[in-house]
Amino acid sequence: MSTRKLVVIGAGMASGRALEHLFEAAPGQWDVTLFNAEPRGNYNRIMLSPVLSGEKSYGEIVIHDDDWYAQHGVTCRFGEKVLSIDADAKLVEGEKGVVPYDKLLIATGSTPFIVPLPGHDLDGVIAYRDLEDTNRMIDAAATPGARVVVIGGGLLGLEAAAGLRLRGMEVTVVHLMGHLMDRQLDESAGFLLRKSLESRGIDIRCGANSKEILGENGKVRALLLDDGTELSCDLLVMAVGIRPNIALAKEAGLATGRGIHVDGQMITSNADILSVGECIEHDGAVFGLVAPLYDQAKVAAQTLLGTHATFVQKQLSTKLKVTGCDLFSAGDFAEGDGREDIVFRDPGRGIYKRLVIEGHRLIGAVMYGDTADSNWFFGLIRDGTDIDDMRETLIFGPAYQGGASADPLSAVAALPPEAEICGCNGICKGTITDAIAGGATDLGAVRAQTKASASCGTCTGLVEQLLQVTLGDAFQMPAAQPICGCCDLSHEDVRRLIKAQELKSQEAVWQELGWKTRNGCHVCRPAVNFYLLADWPLEYRDDPQSRFVNERKHANIQKDGTFSVVPRMWGGITTPAELRAIADAAEKYAVPTVKVTGGQRIDLLGVKGEDLPGIWADLNAAGLVSGHAYSKGLRTVKTCVGTDHCRFGTQDSTGLGVKLEQILWGSWTPHKVKLAVSGCPRNCAEATCKDVGIVCVDSGYQVGVGGAAGMDVKETERLGDAATEQEAIDLTVAFIQLYRENAKYLDRPYKWVAKVGLDWVKARVVDDLDERARLIAAFDLSQSIYRKDPWAEEAKRAPAFQPVADLTLEAAE
Amino acid sequence: MSWIDLCAIDDIPLRGARRIKTAQGCVALFRTGDTEVFAAADRCPHKGGPLSEGIVHGQSVTCPLHNMVFDLTTGQARGEAMQIQTHALRIEDGRVLIDGAKLRARSAA
Ligand code: SRM
Ligand SMILES: Cc1cc2nc3c(=O)[nH]c(=O)nc-3n(C[C@H](O)[C@H](O)[C@H](O)COP(=O)(O)OP(=O)(O)OC[C@H]3O[C@@H](n4cnc5c(N)ncnc54)[C@H](O)[C@@H]3O)c2cc1C
Ligand code: SF4
Ligand code: FES
């Protein structure tokens, strides 16, 4: 049989595999010329990461060496780029001359996408694609103390970052999205990955937008972020994505979209030209992992051999090749009807698993920390297995699929004796059941004897289940009062653990404290958001999406969906100019109701959501700021006229009220906080039923706390007497900070004081002067962030208050 | 199907929502994940609460007025015999598209 001429453009992983199939099935049938722009033949590109980290050498990742090419008579034109294809004349033009073909295989792979930031062409800005890039990175790491910034927290970027860190570089990863590997992982797995990379000394910045690459003498010097941060670096690696390399094919007149269009036989729009690899587009999809490319290679070889075969797209899975970061992701997390999540977390061991179920099938899985069962789950996804019978125990993996009952306790019962229950103390099931058999019949006794659940406490539920499994009806499950269905912990426990374990993000809380849902619910999210911002004012950023609408919109929602707007009137004092501005705003925005509130200020009720930024801007212009009539924070400080005008006044109650309001405004608290200052015991400001109420007397100030006049009515209790105005302020601020640090979300001060006892409060706020000073300093630190007008900030984001699109015309067509 | 381009996915805050106006009233777009968005009527069947102002969690939203929870994949209220209309969406190159044919068909009906 006469040999036919096959020209191949690109000696990458896809074409390499196609040639293997071809030579195996029909040796000598094809006379192959192989072009490659890289000055070498086919190597295992995937393994560049172990080369970078030093775990492998280039020699170990070569797939086809000189002998292999010689043995199969391949004419190698390595280091020579193909310039053009003449599809009519069936010629390929390389840099060193023209070659005719009978069949052409295009396998040009893809090119890394370079974000066109100013400075992207500076020396020292590179991508991560081939051996040259890898060697460049290895060279840069040779200088002690060298710094690198990696843009892109996806698979490639993180492999580059981890490899460079192993080589001793100072590494910063800049990622646009909120969590790492956002295409493959959800927030929780992304959080664990981040934690693990950070523990290796890699600096990670998520939600960070790059603005400009700064240079010096033509060489990269630093990356400038949107927020003004400058990250200095000697090398900048861009790993933000790839684009199919289609230029040649497009110029040759082949049909292209995102990639080179091919049919199921890998034939392009020209019958004599085939294409495989990352450069193609098949049925709307493009590819970035080798598994499908190998399937394509097999089909292409068969097409060349004249056998009919068809390429079918399959489910893909991802793993990260960073030693010690065990993660796995497969299947589909995109939107769809009727999907259900199963989540399993083992905080002690840093394990997170999430399964996505649709109908009777598993369609997606994300795992971190323990990926031992990943292949089994991947099989269920790929084969579309009906999982109904194992739904309840599915998450525990194949070991528990005995077809047994779906009782959740049976999963615990099925655990082998050596299964670890308490991650903190390394206590396994056997130790605990032995203790139970030896007479430890309640949680406290098990804790005392084995230490299980005595540290972070998150395995408490498991220990209790073991007690129940072992003792049966003899064990009464305690009725702990968890925050909500998302977790097993009480508010108090969550607060304690946030401090003790230094949890500084919601993702950290969900993972480390064993949340059972993906990202909480409307009950726990606002609470956790408050605890985090109260405990870590500098590190944690308030999350508006975890706030009830009133606090997110900085206005009270009304029953008809409109809002009310209440500007602050410090201590109940106003001016004609302020009143005029309020009147003007009320008229301009056609406010239906203007009302004097029970809190000594004016409420504009019935404002449309779209008008909020406008009315705020107008009020701001007159010096009026948000009254926080909507917040779990400082509301009003009511005052009476005091010594300024009243014949009985003993101290400047109005002045003190204004001062307190100016110190306290903007702070977030577990529930709302209201104050009042009365100028004498006649108490016209009703101070004795407030959260903090001060009554002025001849000798100074009586500071009372824990009053109530809402659903409960209760008189304040005396926290202490202050001789000076400053001392009255100090006692108030210290009390409120102690409340912020310790109370359960949605406990007003009177409820919290009843729980901890007034004596406990007094010991810290009144008697211990060091603690009082610490509380005041902590409050001031928090206020350095929060004492500002949210209306002024929000008014700048006016478009966010409008509908994002208007289809009224479209839909009426 | 005819797909209408609405906005960039990043115009909707993560675990937040935005509204669009249509001839049949407002439709809310809920972003439950980085690349996961659902569309449903913005009006709570209980007492008309604006669902786009609710807290978005998992694949659900909680009405801001009286805390009824809706499953965005089906529109079904949790534990109540109430339902909101959902709409098909598509995400393409970071843009959110809605099925316009369906919106039109319903207004014609
Ligand atoms: C506007 C105002 C009534 C008025 O017209 O005067 C008002 C209006 C509301 N109050 Fe009030 N309270 C107002 C003074 C009070 C007072 C009197 C006071 O502040 O001196 C009290 C009793 C003192 C207290 O705080 O306990 C009061 C006790 C409550 C309570 C019960 C709190 C409790 O712990 O028992 C609630 C419900 C809650 O907070 O959970 C509440 C809740 C509400 C809400 C926010 C209900 C809601 O969530 O939608 C009302 C908003 C109406 C709206 O659409 O804007 N409002 N509310 C007053 C605003 C004062 C201000 O200038 O900020
Ligand atoms: C660091 C790294 C880690 C990776 N890790 C994984 C992983 O863990 N798992 C996984 O599945 N995938 C991984 N990938 C992706 C995988 O390597 C690619 O999917 C695969 O290599 C693509 O094969 P290909 O043959 O289509 O293209 P390539 O392997 O890129 O080959 C294309 C070749 O064509 C040449 N070429 C282009 N244009 C011309 C021209 N005009 N003339 C001549 N020659 C030309 C190029 O020089 C190149 O050598 C990784 C990639 C990188 C860079
Ligand atoms: S008393 Fe009741 S009805 Fe009146 S404003 Fe307060 S919460 Fe609303
Ligand atoms: S209006 Fe939505 S729950 Fe009442």
Side-chain angles (χ1 to χ4, degrees):
Chain A
M1 191 199 279
S2 69
T3 56
R4 300 169 70 202
K5 284 187 190 310
L6 173 67
V7 172
V8 181
I9 310 178
M13 300 186 70
S15 68
R17 180 57 68 93
L19 289 177
E20 285 174 12
H21 287 301
L22 201 62
F23 295 146
E24 194 181 322
Q29 203 181 85
W30 291 91
D31 170 12
V32 178
T33 303
L34 179 57
F35 284 94
N36 203 23
E38 281 183 68
R40 60 187 70 84
N42 181 21
Y43 61 95
N44 191 344
R45 193 175 301 283
I46 296 181
M47 291 316 227
L48 284 175
S49 292
V51 171
L52 177 63
S53 64
E55 288 159 273
K56 278 201 160 40
S57 67
Y58 172 69
E60 290 173 84
I61 69 166
V62 169
I63 300 179
H64 297 145
D65 57 13
D66 293 348
D67 287 350
W68 189 87
Y69 289 119
Q71 187 191 334
H72 295 100
V74 178
T75 310
C76 297
R77 295 179 62 158
F78 295 158
E80 180 176 359
K81 223 178 146 180
V82 169
L83 303 174
S84 67
I85 302 166
D86 183 338
D88 296 328
K90 295 175 82 170
L91 293 175
V92 165
E93 184 198 0
E95 285 168 331
K96 295 183 190 140
V98 171
V99 185
Y101 64 80
D102 296 309
K103 293 279 178 189
L104 175 64
L105 178 63
I106 304 180
T108 45
S110 54
T111 42
F113 180 61
I114 300 288
V115 188
L117 295 172
H120 70 270
D121 43 9
L122 285 166
D123 183 27
V125 177
I126 62 168
Y128 185 21
R129 180 72 193 172
D130 55 24
L131 187 63
E132 277 70 29
D133 297 331
T134 312
N135 285 336
R136 182 76 196 265
M137 287 190 249
I138 295 174
D139 288 349
T143 317
R147 294 170 172 275
V148 60
V149 167
V150 178
I151 303 185
L155 205 73
L156 276 191
L158 296 182
E159 289 188 6
L164 289 167
R165 181 70 198 143
L166 275 180
R167 288 194 179 261
M169 278 186 110
E170 295 297 324
V171 183
T172 302
V173 175
V174 173
H175 188 52
L176 185 60
M177 304 303 283
H179 67 268
L180 296 176
M181 289 184 68
D182 51 277
R183 280 152 171 250
Q184 293 91 5
L185 302 181
D186 58 13
E187 293 142 329
S188 295
F191 158 76
L192 283 173
L193 175 59
R194 174 177 183 152
K195 199 170 129 181
S196 159
L197 293 171
E198 281 176 341
S199 73
R200 296 155 195 240
I202 299 176
D203 176 23
I204 296 193
R205 320 243 169 160
C206 288
N209 210 346
S210 308
K211 188 170 180 189
E212 186 177 346
I213 303 172
L214 307 175
E216 206 169 62
N217 306 326
K219 207 182 159 328
V220 61
R221 171 176 72 78
L223 175 70
L224 178 67
L225 301 181
D226 251 4
D227 65 5
T229 315
E230 235 185 77
L231 302 167
S232 63
C233 60
D234 310 288
L235 183 74
L236 188 140
V237 181
M238 267 210 216
V240 293
I242 51 172
R243 295 282 149 95
N245 198 347
I246 62 171
L248 268 184
K250 207 168 167 180
E251 278 160 33
L254 299 182
T256 56
R258 280 192 291 164
I260 304 169
H261 285 167
V262 296
D263 62 13
Q265 285 65 53
M266 311 321 293
I267 300 172
T268 66
S269 57
N270 181 311
D272 292 320
I273 305 181
L274 286 75
S275 185
V276 291
E278 282 183 346
C279 54
I280 72 157
E281 177 178 336
H282 173 265
D283 203 9
V286 294
F287 305 86
L289 294 172
V290 290
L293 311 190
Y294 283 169
D295 289 342
Q296 296 161 12
K298 198 168 184 176
V299 172
Q302 282 170 301
T303 302
L304 287 171
L305 294 165
T307 338
H308 185 81
T310 305
F311 169 65
V312 199
Q313 292 180 26
K314 290 196 193 120
Q315 290 283 359
L316 295 177
S317 65
T318 313
K319 285 185 177 171
L320 182 73
K321 301 188 299 300
V322 173
T323 313
C325 289
D326 267 347
L327 66 81
F328 170 84
S329 137
D332 188 3
F333 300 97
E335 76 185 78
D337 282 349
R339 288 190 180 173
E340 184 192 327
D341 275 346
I342 300 181
V343 175
F344 171 86
R345 305 184 196 242
D346 182 340
R349 289 183 292 155
I351 292 174
Y352 169 78
K353 301 182 186 186
R354 173 168 158 240
L355 302 178
V356 182
I357 293 174
E358 185 174 63
H360 311 284
R361 298 183 307 122
L362 181 66
I363 58 162
V366 185
M367 283 171 212
Y368 191 95
D370 172 11
T371 53
D373 296 333
S374 59
N375 287 338
W376 184 72
F377 286 117
F378 186 44
L380 295 180
I381 295 173
R382 211 184 30 220
D383 304 340
T385 313
D386 186 329
I387 50 94
D388 266 358
D389 290 344
M390 38 185 179
R391 218 179 180 93
E392 299 296 327
T393 52
L394 188 65
I395 194 100
F396 297 106
Y400 300 115
Q401 307 312 324
S405 84
D407 172 12
L409 279 181
S410 67
V412 177
L415 287 169
E418 61 277 9
E420 191 173 70
I421 299 289
C422 173
C424 297
N425 297 295
I427 310 299
C428 57
K429 176 180 166 182
T431 312
I432 297 171
T433 44
D434 287 351
I436 297 172
T441 54
D442 63 28
L443 187 63
V446 172
R447 249 182 213 163
Q449 285 188 25
T450 68
K451 284 207 169 53
S453 92
S455 296
C456 81
T458 48
C459 59
T460 304
L462 275 176
V463 174
E464 283 168 354
Q465 285 176 345
L466 274 178
L467 280 159
Q468 199 168 40
V469 166
T470 318
L471 299 174
D473 289 345
F475 177 71
Q476 202 64 41
M477 276 280 205
Q481 190 59 261
I483 295 186
C484 60
C486 298
C487 69
D488 296 325
L489 297 169
S490 65
H491 280 274
E492 287 76 8
D493 281 340
V494 169
R495 283 219 84 162
R496 181 173 53 76
L497 292 166
I498 284 176
K499 293 188 182 80
Q501 299 189 13
E502 304 201 357
L503 306 178
K504 299 183 183 178
S505 68
Q506 295 200 50
E507 286 80 5
V509 171
W510 300 332
Q511 174 58 32
E512 302 297 323
L513 306 186
W515 247 245
K516 289 175 279 191
T517 49
R518 198 160 30 134
N519 47 31
C521 70
H522 66 272
V523 178
C524 61
R525 279 247 300 280
V528 169
N529 183 56
F530 168 73
Y531 295 153
L532 288 167
L533 75 81
D535 286 339
W536 314 109
L538 300 185
E539 292 94 334
Y540 179 73
R541 242 184 295 159
D542 178 41
D543 173 24
Q545 304 312 329
S546 296
R547 291 196 169 277
F548 179 63
V549 52
N550 288 359
E551 296 189 332
R552 187 172 351 103
K553 276 281 168 77
H554 300 280
N556 266 315
I557 196 162
Q558 313 286 297
K559 63 179 191 174
D560 62 354
T562 62
F563 292 88
S564 66
V565 171
V566 187
R568 220 167 253 294
M569 280 180 183
W570 309 95
I573 294 285
T574 185
T575 64
E578 284 184 354
L579 291 172
R580 207 169 279 126
I582 292 174
D584 287 345
E587 265 177 9
K588 178 167 166 190
Y589 294 96
V591 169
T593 307
V594 181
K595 182 181 183 302
V596 174
T597 72
Q600 298 190 340
R601 46 200 192 164
I602 294 176
D603 194 350
L604 304 174
L605 294 132
V607 181
K608 290 193 211 59
E610 293 94 298
D611 287 341
L612 288 174
I615 198 166
W616 291 339
D618 285 9
L619 294 169
N620 276 168
L624 289 155
V625 297
S626 167
H628 295 85
Y630 46 79
S631 77
K632 311 281 175 252
L634 178 81
R635 298 286 181 93
T636 54
V637 182
K638 295 208 316 188
T639 68
C640 70
V641 288
T643 45
D644 276 355
H645 303 278
C646 177
R647 63 197 168 108
F648 294 117
T650 61
Q651 311 282 350
D652 178 11
S653 53
T654 324
L656 175 55
V658 171
K659 276 186 198 148
L660 282 169
E661 190 163 352
Q662 284 176 341
I663 292 169
L664 299 171
W665 79 297
S667 63
W668 298 103
T669 42
H671 202 318
K672 57 193 175 191
V673 171
K674 298 175 178 180
L675 278 70
V677 187
S678 288
C680 82
R682 288 170 192 77
N683 194 17
C684 296
E686 299 167 325
T688 48
C689 62
K690 295 297 173 196
D691 298 299
V692 180
I694 299 175
V695 176
C696 301
V697 289
D698 281 328
S699 58
Y701 307 81
Q702 299 174 337
V703 181
V705 295
M711 289 178 279
D712 292 315
V713 180
K714 189 181 157 295
E715 193 181 339
T716 49
E717 292 175 80
R718 187 76 58 84
L719 177 68
D721 292 336
T724 63
E725 189 181 79
Q726 187 56 48
E727 198 185 352
I729 293 173
D730 286 354
L731 289 176
T732 303
V733 170
F735 172 79
I736 287 176
Q737 178 63 14
L738 192 67
Y739 169 61
R740 297 180 76 237
E741 288 179 4
N742 293 284
K744 164 179 170 238
Y745 191 64
L746 299 188
D747 263 359
R748 285 290 282 267
Y750 76 94
K751 290 196 177 158
W752 167 68
V753 172
K755 282 182 189 165
V756 297
L758 187 64
D759 288 340
W760 185 87
V761 175
K762 276 187 181 167
R764 281 155 186 78
V765 172
V766 184
D767 306 336
D768 184 340
L769 294 181
D770 289 341
E771 176 65 358
R772 188 198 298 179
R774 184 198 67 76
L775 288 165
I776 293 170
F779 186 77
D780 286 346
L781 178 73
S782 172
Q783 286 295 73
S784 69
I785 312 251
Y786 291 106
R787 187 162 35 210
K788 59 176 187 225
D789 180 23
W791 287 356
E793 317 252 315
E794 291 293 299
K796 291 185 215 140
R797 306 195 314 120
F801 289 74
Q802 312 303 324
V804 74
D806 186 345
L807 302 186
T808 39
L809 295 174
E810 296 256 8
E813 269 170 22
Chain B
M1 285 204 182
S2 70
W3 294 96
I4 304 174
D5 180 282
L6 296 177
C7 60
I9 188 162
D10 288 333
D11 288 337
I12 312 170
L14 181 61
R15 280 179 243 126
R18 292 293 296 271
R19 288 177 298 133
I20 58 167
K21 281 190 173 169
T22 80
Q24 298 129 56
C26 284
V27 169
L29 308 176
F30 301 94
R31 184 168 176 198
T32 51
D34 276 323
T35 56
E36 187 178 73
V37 182
F38 294 95
D42 191 27
R43 220 184 120 77
C44 176
H46 176 225
K47 289 193 173 169
L51 296 174
S52 57
E53 303 285 8
I55 291 181
V56 177
H57 49 99
Q59 290 176 322
S60 308
V61 65
T62 301
C63 177
L65 291 197
H66 314 98
N67 289 339
M68 198 174 281
V69 178
F70 293 90
D71 181 341
L72 296 170
T73 64
T74 57
Q76 182 62 46
R78 187 185 294 168
E80 305 276 343
M82 279 191 211
Q83 176 99 27
I84 48 171
Q85 175 74 48
T86 58
H87 298 271
L89 284 184
R90 225 167 74 186
I91 296 175
E92 226 167 62
D93 292 334
R95 306 286 306 175
V96 181
L97 295 86
I98 197 163
D99 181 1
K102 217 164 133 198
L103 278 180
R104 271 194 284 272
R106 207 162 295 112
S107 63

